Amino acid sequence: MNSSRQSRRSFRVSEPAYVLYEALSDEEFQGGLAHFKLRRGINDGARARLVEVEAKLKEAMYRLNNENTALGRCLTLFNEKLDILANELPGLRETKSSLARQKPQTLDLSADGLVFSSEHPLGPDDKLYIRFLLSSDNLYVDSFCRVVRLTDPPDTSVPERAFGIAVEFVQMPRAQREILIQHMFSRESETLRMRRLQLDDDSQFG
């Protein structure tokens, strides 16, 4: 893996999100994510295909916006329409609804894993099925993951969540990982833009 790709994958942001997870047996984990969803009756075939299309669209939008702003804008609007249709899928709507009923928390997110706060301690190498919904843009992600270590909780606003759980994603589809990367860089770009605006305001009125 070259240094540029490694940098993209290791890039981290702090995000408000809704999180749910459940422990997996070794048998469930070894059976794979697709088989696990099939046994649980989780049918996200349409969503999985939409994720792949969205990843390709976002890459195309990035290139077009640098070459042809008007065409890039059209493609952006088309992708927004696609997002609306995807969010109307019954299974995805129910999943997002169940997640949104959780108390939100701030987590540390990268393309390879995340750190979240939990009410229960977990041991290294514990296997989990995790689902989370990012508050900033309603992005839903699910994946198998493996606990790497216990650490300080990234969100201390809920005292009951006293344990920080660091996990690495396992078997996450490439398209979904790419969307995560694009999301994080978009968030960081927006943060830097807001900082520049604040600095400009300070220099004008300082």
Side-chain angles (χ1 to χ4, degrees):
M1 183 181 299
N2 61 43
S3 58
S4 175
R5 179 172 291 274
Q6 179 63 46
S7 176
R8 294 175 78 232
R9 289 175 66 107
S10 61
F11 186 74
R12 290 183 176 273
V13 296
S14 292
E15 285 271 3
Y18 303 91
V19 182
L20 280 173
Y21 69 88
E22 61 180 287
L24 298 173
S25 68
D26 287 340
E27 181 181 359
E28 287 175 321
F29 189 78
Q30 291 169 7
L33 182 59
H35 187 243
F36 171 81
K37 289 184 176 182
L38 185 63
R39 289 181 59 188
R40 295 292 182 90
I42 304 172
N43 183 6
D44 69 346
R47 187 186 71 84
R49 290 194 295 274
L50 283 168
V51 166
E52 293 180 10
V53 172
E54 184 179 4
K56 293 175 182 177
L57 270 174
K58 286 189 174 182
E59 182 179 0
M61 284 188 295
Y62 175 78
R63 293 177 179 174
L64 274 175
N65 280 319
N66 291 330
E67 300 171 3
N68 188 320
T69 304
L71 188 56
R73 176 60 179 162
C74 288
L75 197 56
T76 298
L77 290 172
F78 178 77
N79 192 51
E80 290 176 359
K81 182 178 180 179
L82 184 67
D83 286 342
I84 293 171
L85 294 173
N87 286 326
E88 289 302 311
L89 292 171
L92 185 56
R93 289 180 65 184
E94 174 57 31
T95 297
K96 287 187 174 182
S97 177
S98 65
L99 277 167
R101 288 193 287 269
Q102 307 300 307
K103 291 181 180 179
Q105 63 169 284
T106 298
L107 50 80
D108 294 335
L109 177 67
S110 78
D112 287 330
L114 59 85
V115 182
F116 64 97
S117 303
S118 173
E119 296 179 4
H120 309 287
L122 296 170
D125 207 38
D126 281 355
K127 285 87 173 175
L128 308 174
Y129 171 56
I130 194 165
R131 298 176 289 161
F132 57 96
L133 181 67
L134 299 178
S135 301
S136 58
D137 62 1
N138 207 33
L139 176 63
Y140 169 74
V141 179
D142 68 340
S143 179
F144 273 8
C145 59
R146 180 185 290 108
V147 176
V148 177
R149 66 185 182 279
L150 287 179
T151 185
D152 294 331
D155 189 335
T156 58
S157 63
V158 180
E160 292 81 6
R161 294 174 176 162
F163 303 96
I165 312 296
V167 302
E168 62 177 354
F169 297 131
V170 179
Q171 301 177 22
M172 177 177 282
R174 180 178 178 180
Q176 184 162 263
R177 195 184 300 273
E178 183 61 29
I179 285 177
L180 266 182
I181 292 171
Q182 293 167 359
H183 166 84
M184 289 185 292
F185 273 92
S186 175
R187 292 287 292 163
E188 181 64 11
S189 296
E190 179 63 17
T191 299
L192 292 174
R193 187 181 73 84
M194 295 303 294
R195 287 177 182 169
R196 284 196 296 269
L197 289 174
Q198 184 62 50
L199 288 172
D200 290 343
D201 289 342
D202 293 342
S203 64
Q204 290 177 15
F205 299 103

